[in-house]
Amino acid sequence: MRKTRTVHKIRFGKKSGLHTTFIKQSELEQLNPFVQWDHFTAKAQLHSKRLDYESHSGVDAVSYPVIGKLSHHDSTGNHVTLASGDVHIMTSGDGIIHKEIMTPQNGQIESFCLGTILPAGKVEMSPASCINLHAQQLPLIEEHDSTTKVIIGKYKNVASPATYSIPMTFLDIMIAPYGCWYFEPDPEQLTGFVYLRSGSVYISGSQLHKHQMATLTPSPLPIEVRTSKLGARIFIVTGKPQQQPLFSNHHSVHSSQQNMSKATQNIGRLLTARK
């Protein structure tokens, strides 16, 4: 039997309004480089929903709508509407503010947000920037009992066109009933998690149910996911831990208190300019 990564902890998330969050501020050191994994959902009667006005610094934020449209507006002047399956990567650097509006499709809204820390130094305090990728730009790898969409990083030597600040892999995978999916991440990407959007899966003997997150024991080993009579749709994310101190403040994370203070001041100026 081949050795694969094991489950460290199964998380149920904390629901607040439209979103369920799975990473606490107190867990940043443990889950480095990941600082955010949020699942947004809403029903038809909302018709359209404006998410909270937010600020970020020191992190990359990846938005990925899977049902409905997401309109993004930010202080860099980037205004874009993402269709289902599109990807938006926001490098917050020394500070950014943004608003988003989600519009339902067939009475449903669903979107995911992933956050990672930026490397200490110039990247961490760089001017904010954004990139957008259409679903058609992201490669799909079809295998015997699975289909894998490469959002960021590489799978089976097929790479996403997305550029990213740290070594990281973000995959959207559909697995058929009684299927097996196997992946050998870059061995430097020691931290990882699996999120189950639908169905049921087994990871090294641990069962994961719908809307649960399994953080993986840090390891360079491969990842194996199996299904039984139910197929599944999962997200798998792995990343290289960053060797730097972490100072956090809501949606901002920096390598020093000095950088945090500079970014906080910059965000304050951006908010004042918007009034």
Side-chain angles (χ1 to χ4, degrees), residues 86-107:
D86 293 349
V87 176
H88 177 74
I89 301 173
M90 182 174 70
T91 300
S92 61
D94 63 358
I96 191 171
I97 60 174
H98 71 98
K99 287 185 178 181
E100 292 176 338
I101 299 172
M102 297 180 69
T103 305
Q105 175 184 342
N106 297 325

Side-chain angles (χ1 to χ4, degrees), residues 46-63:
L46 294 175
H47 297 296
S48 65
K49 180 64 184 180
R50 183 179 297 275
L51 301 182
D52 291 340
Y53 194 49
E54 290 187 347
S55 63
H56 297 270
S57 64
V59 299
D60 269 329
V62 184
S63 297

Side-chain angles (χ1 to χ4, degrees), residues 82-267:
L82 305 179
S84 301
D86 293 349
V87 176
H88 177 74
I89 301 173
M90 182 174 70
T91 300
S92 61
D94 63 358
I96 191 171
I97 60 174
H98 71 98
K99 287 185 178 181
E100 292 176 338
I101 299 172
M102 297 180 69
T103 305
Q105 175 184 342
N106 297 325
Q108 296 290 324
I109 292 171
E110 186 175 10
S111 182
F112 294 88
C113 186
L114 170 70
T116 60
I117 60 176
L118 292 173
K122 291 183 179 179
V123 177
E124 173 192 0
M125 298 303 290
S126 63
S129 61
C130 300
I131 62 171
N132 311 299
L133 293 168
H134 295 294
Q136 295 82 357
Q137 296 176 265
L138 302 173
L140 286 174
I141 296 91
E142 295 187 357
E143 299 175 273
H144 176 67
D145 49 12
S146 67
T147 301
T148 301
K149 181 179 181 179
V150 187
I151 300 171
I152 295 170
K154 186 177 1 179
Y155 175 73
K156 299 289 177 75
N157 294 319
V158 179
S160 164
T163 56
Y164 207 72
S165 303
I166 61 170
M168 201 264 283
T169 304
F170 183 9
L171 306 173
D172 179 357
I173 308 137
M174 290 185 287
I175 310 174
Y178 301 104
C180 179
W181 184 89
Y182 183 82
F183 174 48
E184 296 182 7
D186 183 320
E188 289 188 328
Q189 296 182 21
L190 300 174
T191 309
F193 66 84
V194 180
Y195 184 76
L196 183 60
R197 180 175 178 253
S198 61
S200 175
V201 298
Y202 294 86
I203 307 163
S204 189
S206 297
Q207 187 173 14
L208 193 64
H209 297 283
K210 181 180 177 180
H211 295 172
Q212 291 180 350
M213 173 196 206
T215 53
L216 303 175
T217 303
S219 167
L221 290 172
I223 300 170
E224 184 177 84
V225 181
R226 292 182 176 272
T227 58
S228 56
K229 63 181 179 180
L230 292 177
R233 183 173 179 183
I234 62 173
F235 299 101
I236 286 188
V237 186
T238 61
K240 179 182 178 180
Q242 301 299 293
Q243 303 302 314
Q244 62 195 61
L246 300 179
F247 295 83
S248 60
N249 177 12
H250 195 46
H251 292 304
S252 295
V253 182
H254 286 279
S255 64
S256 70
Q257 193 59 57
Q258 182 182 21
N259 285 349
M260 177 68 78
S261 296
K262 288 180 179 178
T264 300
Q265 291 173 8
N266 188 37
I267 288 170

